[in-house]
Amino acid sequence: MALNKVRDDIGKICMKALHWRNSPLIMSQCGSKGSPINISQMIACVGQQSVGGRRAPDRFIDRSLPHFPTKSKFPTAKGFVAHSFFDGLSATEFFFHTMGGREGLVDTAVKTADTGYMSRRLMKALEDLAVYYDNTVRNASASIIQFMYGDDGMDPSQMEEKKGRPLNFSRLFMKVKATCPPRGEKGLSYSEICEIVNERLSYHDMSPEGGCSEAFRASLSDFLIKNLAETLKRLREALLLGGEQYAGGDREYLENVALNISGITKKQLQVFLNMCISRYHLKRLESGTAIGAIGAQSIGEPGTQMTLKTFHFAGVASMNVTLGVPRIKEIINSAKKINTPIIIAKLLSAANLTAARMIKARIEKTLLGQVAKSVKIVMASRLASIAITLDMETIQVSQLCIDAYTVKQSILQTPKIKLKEQQVKVLNPRKLEVFPQANKDKLHFELHRLKNKLPSVVVKGITTVQRAVVNKEQERDCKSDVKGETYELLVEGTGLLAVMGIDRVDGRNTKSNHIMEVQQRLGIEAARISIIDVINYTMSSHGMTIDLRHMMLLADLMTYKGEVLGITRHGVQKMKDSVLMLASFEKTTDHLFNASVNGRDDKIEGVRECIITGIPMQIGTGMFKLRQCVQQVELNYQSEPMLS
C-alpha cells in the first residue's frame, strides 16, 4: 500500500510538470490591462528540500511534523515541495522550505568566520617564504622549503594556459605565420625542421644551467617535431609530394598548398623559436619575490567563495564526500580523524565485473549476524550454551569463503568478547557452540551478553571498513572515444595497507583521501602528493582553478620537516623559531613568558618581527645586501716646513 501511494504521488507530480511545461501563454492581470506571461520556462515544482545533506529529519515523535502519521516516509512528509511558487506552497511545504533556507543563512554566517581564520593562519605560516638568488625557496631562517619554486621557477600570474603552462604554442605559431609571411621562401622538410630545432635546443639558454626546465624543452620539442613536423609529413604524403609523381606547375602549386596549410619556412621557424625562448625567460620569477604571501592569498581567497557544507557524489549516488570549507580545514589542520575517509582501489582486472564483486566481498566488513541462520541459547540439564547455525546458501551466493572453523577464529580474535579456545566448539562446517565461563549466579546474564555480542563479530573483511561500492567508469582513449567500461572499488573507511594487500588489487594505483594515514603507510612524499591532489580536487569541484605551484608550496611547507605539520598553533610552533612571530600569532603571553624565563634570543629575520621592531624587511628588494671590503692603507705624511 505504501509503495502504491508513493507511486501515485510521483505520478501526479510528473503529470503536473508536463502540464506546466506544455502550457501556453497565460494571461495575467497587470493593473487594468492583461499582459501575456510566458511560463514555458517556469519550473513545475520547487523540489526536495535538504537539511544537512539529507531529507527533512524526524524532529517530533517519529515524524517530521505533527501533520503526518508516525514513521511516514512519503515525499510530502520528508520535505518534498510539489507546488511551484506560481501556485503557492502549502503550510507544511512552506515550513520545510524555511528549514532549507535557514541552513543556507547559517552556513553563510559560519563560513565567513571559518574562511577568515583559515586565511589568517595560511598567511602567518607562509608570509616569510621568498625566492632566493640561488632559485631556492627559503623561510626567514634560511631553511630550504623547495629547491626550485614549482619545479620550474615560473611566475604563476604570467602563465598563458589553464594547466599552468607558460606559453600557448599554437597561438604564437599563428602569430608568427601572420606577421612573418613566406615571401617566396621554400618550406622546410621534416628532417630539416628536426635538425634546426635540435640545434637550437642545445644552446646554453635552453639547458637547466641556463634556467630552462626539462618540461618546457620537452613541450616545445613535442609541438614542433611531433605535432607540426609530423602533420606536414602526412600532408605531403597525402598530396603525393614525397616522390617525383608531379612536375612543373602542378608540383609548385601543391608545394604552396602544403606550405600554407601546415608548412614553415626557415625564417619563420627561427623567429618562432627565439620568440618562445625569450618570452619563457621573461616569465621567470625574480629573486626576492614573496611567493609565500601570494600563495596564501591565492588559496585563502577562493575559500570565501565556497559553500560551507557541500557533498559531492563520488561516482555513486549513495556515497558522499566532504568538500568545501570543511575539507580544506581538514587538510590544513592535518586532522587525524576525518569525516568521510574513502579509499579508491584500482583493480588488476578492471574490466571484469565478477572479479570486482569478489574483491568487494573480501574487503567489505561481513558480520556474523549477516551470515548466520540463527543464534540461540540452548539450555540443558547440566550445561548451557549458544548455538550458531550458518546460512550456507547466503555464503555461497555472496562468494564468501566462510565456514564454522573460520568463524571460530574470528570469535577468538575479537577482543571485546574475551573467549578462550576451549569455550568455542565446532560441531560441523555449518554449526558451532559457544560455552560461557561464569558462575551459576551470573550464567544467565553472560548468556544474554554473548548472544547480543556475537552477531556483531566480523567474520570476513577489514574491520575498519564500513562498506565498499563497485564504481563503473567509461574508459576513453586519447580522442575521447568510449572504448569500454572499467570498474574500481570505492571503499568507505580507513585501512589503506589492508586494502592494498588484498589479492587482485592494484596497490600501486590505490589512493586514499586521508592524509595522515597515507603518511603512516606510504611515507612523507606520498603525503605531499596527496595534499596537492586533494586540495586541487576540492577546488576544482567548486569550479575554481588555482595554479598548481601555490598548492605545491603549501604541501612542501607542511611536509619539509619530515612529518605532516598542520597550519595550526602547534604546527606553526614546530615550523618557526622566532618568539615574536609566535607571539603575534596565538597565545601571546605564554610565548613571551617562556622565552623570558629561558632567556631565548630573537634574530629579527622574519616579516612580522621586522614590522614589530621597525626594521626594514629582508624580503623583496630588502633581500639584496652589499658588502664592501675596506683596506686600511698607511699614509706617510712628509713633514713640511712651517710657513712664517
Side-chain angles (χ1 to χ4, degrees):
M1 291 294 292
L3 288 174
N4 292 333
K5 182 71 169 62
V6 172
R7 197 181 297 117
D8 292 342
D9 286 353
I10 294 173
K12 289 177 183 177
I13 293 165
C14 293
M15 291 297 295
K16 186 178 179 183
L18 289 172
H19 169 71
W20 277 112
R21 283 187 185 143
N22 299 327
S23 62
L25 298 179
I26 289 183
M27 303 301 291
S28 171
Q29 292 294 330
C30 296
S32 58
K33 297 180 181 179
S35 59
I37 298 175
N38 188 355
I39 63 162
S40 60
Q41 301 290 327
M42 186 176 290
I43 194 165
C45 61
V46 177
Q48 178 67 50
Q49 302 298 301
S50 64
V51 180
R54 299 172 180 270
R55 298 206 297 167
D58 293 339
R59 296 294 185 192
F60 295 86
I61 303 171
D62 295 331
R63 51 189 170 175
S64 55
L65 286 175
H67 308 74
F68 304 105
T70 57
K71 297 182 181 179
S72 176
K73 301 297 181 186
F74 294 127
T76 52
K78 299 298 286 183
F80 187 83
V81 180
H83 290 91
S84 66
F85 289 124
F86 189 86
D87 275 349
L89 276 58
S90 67
T92 55
E93 289 175 342
F94 182 78
F95 191 84
F96 288 134
H97 186 57
T98 56
M99 289 171 69
R102 179 179 59 181
E103 188 184 26
L105 293 175
V106 173
D107 281 358
T108 307
V110 174
K111 178 185 68 175
T112 308
D114 277 352
T115 55
Y117 181 48
M118 185 177 72
S119 300
R120 180 178 180 273
R121 285 187 292 152
L122 285 169
M123 185 62 75
K124 278 290 183 180
L126 294 162
E127 66 185 1
D128 60 341
L129 301 185
V131 179
Y132 277 60
Y133 285 98
D134 57 353
N135 293 327
T136 60
V137 177
R138 304 182 185 228
N139 59 15
S141 58
S143 298
I144 296 178
I145 310 298
Q146 287 181 328
F147 290 105
M148 174 77 74
Y149 175 65
D151 291 341
D152 57 2
M154 303 303 292
D155 188 353
S157 63
Q158 299 292 324
M159 298 299 101
E160 293 185 6
E161 289 190 354
K162 282 187 176 181
K163 293 183 178 179
R165 293 173 182 168
L167 295 174
N168 189 333
F169 294 121
S170 301
R171 191 168 60 195
L172 277 177
F173 182 69
M174 291 170 61
K175 178 182 178 181
V176 168
K177 292 200 74 172
T179 57
C180 183
R183 300 188 187 280
E185 194 175 346
K186 184 182 176 183
L188 297 174
S189 65
Y190 176 79
S191 58
E192 289 172 337
I193 292 174
C194 296
E195 184 180 350
I196 293 173
V197 171
N198 291 328
E199 181 185 359
R200 183 66 183 87
L201 294 181
S202 64
Y203 288 5
H204 175 72
D205 59 351
M206 291 300 291
S207 65
E209 293 80 11
C212 181
S213 67
E214 287 293 333
F216 178 72
R217 292 181 79 252
S219 61
L220 182 59
S221 177
D222 286 348
F223 176 78
L224 288 171
I225 294 177
K226 289 187 178 179
N227 294 346
L228 183 66
E230 289 285 351
T231 305
L232 178 61
K233 187 178 180 181
R234 288 195 297 269
L235 179 63
R236 290 179 64 84
E237 289 174 356
L239 295 174
L240 303 176
L241 292 172
E244 297 296 330
Q245 290 93 335
Y246 286 93
D250 288 345
R251 183 176 182 85
E252 185 178 353
Y253 174 75
L254 291 173
E255 288 281 2
N256 289 332
V257 169
L259 179 61
N260 288 332
I261 293 175
S262 60
I264 189 170
T265 65
K266 184 176 181 180
K267 184 180 179 183
Q268 286 176 336
L269 183 57
Q270 289 174 343
V271 169
F272 177 74
L273 282 168
N274 291 330
M275 183 182 293
C276 288
I277 294 165
S278 61
R279 286 195 178 195
Y280 173 80
H281 286 289
L282 285 173
K283 293 175 185 291
R284 295 180 61 200
L285 268 177
E286 296 181 358
S287 299
T289 307
I291 45 98
I294 296 170
Q297 182 73 17
S298 301
I299 296 171
E301 191 274 335
T304 61
Q305 310 300 319
M306 292 189 212
T307 53
L308 185 64
K309 293 179 181 176
T310 304
F311 297 93
H312 179 70
F313 300 128
V316 180
S318 61
M319 187 167 283
N320 289 331
V321 182
T322 308
L323 284 184
V325 178
R327 186 70 185 119
I328 297 293
K329 282 177 65 180
E330 284 179 351
I331 298 164
I332 69 170
N333 290 350
S334 64
K336 293 183 179 178
K337 186 178 180 181
I338 64 175
N339 287 330
T340 53
I342 288 179
I343 299 167
I344 302 173
K346 300 290 185 181
L347 308 178
L348 293 176
S349 52
N352 192 344
L353 178 60
T354 307
R357 286 176 176 164
M358 290 178 66
I359 298 169
K360 171 184 178 291
R362 292 179 195 164
I363 293 175
E364 199 168 26
K365 183 168 61 177
T366 304
L367 304 180
L368 180 57
Q370 295 172 336
V371 295
K373 189 179 288 185
S374 64
V375 179
K376 56 186 179 181
I377 298 173
V378 178
M379 301 291 291
S381 58
R382 294 186 178 182
L383 205 60
S385 64
I386 297 173
I388 303 171
T389 307
L390 299 180
D391 189 353
M392 300 307 291
E393 294 181 2
T394 305
I395 292 171
Q396 288 174 2
V397 169
S398 304
Q399 297 178 341
L400 300 170
C401 300
I402 298 173
D403 57 9
Y405 298 97
T406 58
V407 171
K408 177 183 176 180
Q409 295 299 321
S410 301
I411 292 172
L412 294 176
Q413 291 171 3
T414 306
K416 291 183 179 179
I417 295 181
K418 298 178 182 178
L419 289 176
K420 296 178 181 178
E421 191 167 357
Q422 59 267 24
Q423 293 179 254
V424 184
K425 184 180 178 182
V426 178
L427 302 177
N428 54 54
R430 62 172 63 198
K431 192 170 183 179
L432 68 158
E433 278 188 327
V434 179
F435 300 94
Q437 193 171 9
N439 300 326
K440 291 182 180 180
D441 300 334
K442 297 182 180 179
L443 181 60
H444 183 73
F445 296 103
E446 186 67 17
L447 282 170
H448 283 278
R449 185 187 76 85
L450 284 175
K451 186 185 176 184
N452 293 332
K453 288 279 186 183
L454 284 172
S456 61
V457 172
V458 179
V459 294
K460 192 72 175 178
I462 303 166
T463 310
T464 54
V465 169
Q466 304 302 322
R467 61 174 177 148
V469 178
V470 178
N471 184 28
K472 181 172 68 175
E473 285 190 334
Q474 300 290 344
E475 186 181 1
R476 299 178 181 272
D477 58 6
C478 57
K479 297 180 181 178
S480 298
D481 295 329
V482 177
K483 292 174 64 178
E485 294 178 347
T486 59
Y487 300 94
E488 63 181 8
L489 288 180
L490 300 177
V491 182
E492 190 174 346
T494 56
L496 177 62
L497 201 62
V499 172
M500 291 170 65
I502 297 290
D503 189 26
R504 310 302 297 167
V505 170
D506 188 1
R508 292 175 297 178
N509 293 317
T510 298
K511 298 180 181 179
S512 172
N513 66 347
H514 197 334
I515 308 297
M516 301 304 290
E517 186 181 21
V518 170
Q519 187 230 337
Q520 292 169 4
R521 304 304 179 205
L522 300 177
I524 196 69
E525 284 294 329
R528 172 187 174 271
I529 296 294
S530 295
I531 292 171
I532 297 169
D533 289 345
V534 172
I535 294 177
N536 192 20
Y537 175 72
T538 306
M539 293 293 185
S540 60
S541 298
H542 289 268
M544 299 172 189
T545 305
I546 297 178
D547 197 283
L548 195 64
R549 296 169 182 84
H550 302 311
M551 294 179 273
M552 291 171 69
L553 183 67
L554 177 61
D556 280 318
L557 180 72
M558 292 174 66
T559 56
Y560 84 105
K561 291 277 190 180
E563 59 177 321
V564 179
L565 298 175
I567 311 296
T568 58
R569 65 172 74 112
H570 308 292
V572 171
Q573 195 168 344
K574 292 181 180 178
M575 295 177 196
K576 311 290 183 182
D577 299 323
S578 170
V579 177
L580 288 177
M581 189 272 155
L582 295 173
S584 69
F585 181 40
E586 286 175 5
K587 290 194 172 183
T588 305
T589 53
D590 292 351
H591 288 298
L592 294 177
F593 179 77
N594 292 331
S596 60
V597 168
N598 297 319
R600 289 184 58 185
D601 295 332
D602 199 320
K603 297 180 181 178
I604 316 296
E605 294 171 326
V607 173
R608 190 64 48 185
E609 304 92 284
C610 292
I611 292 173
I612 291 171
T613 54
I615 297 172
M617 283 185 286
Q618 300 175 19
I619 200 169
T621 54
M623 186 177 288
F624 176 76
K625 296 179 180 64
L626 182 64
R627 294 187 178 182
Q628 181 182 7
C629 183
V630 180
Q631 295 181 352
Q632 293 182 356
V633 181
E634 294 182 3
L635 299 176
N636 296 323
Y637 294 98
Q638 295 182 356
S639 58
E640 296 181 0
M642 298 285 292
L643 295 176
S644 58

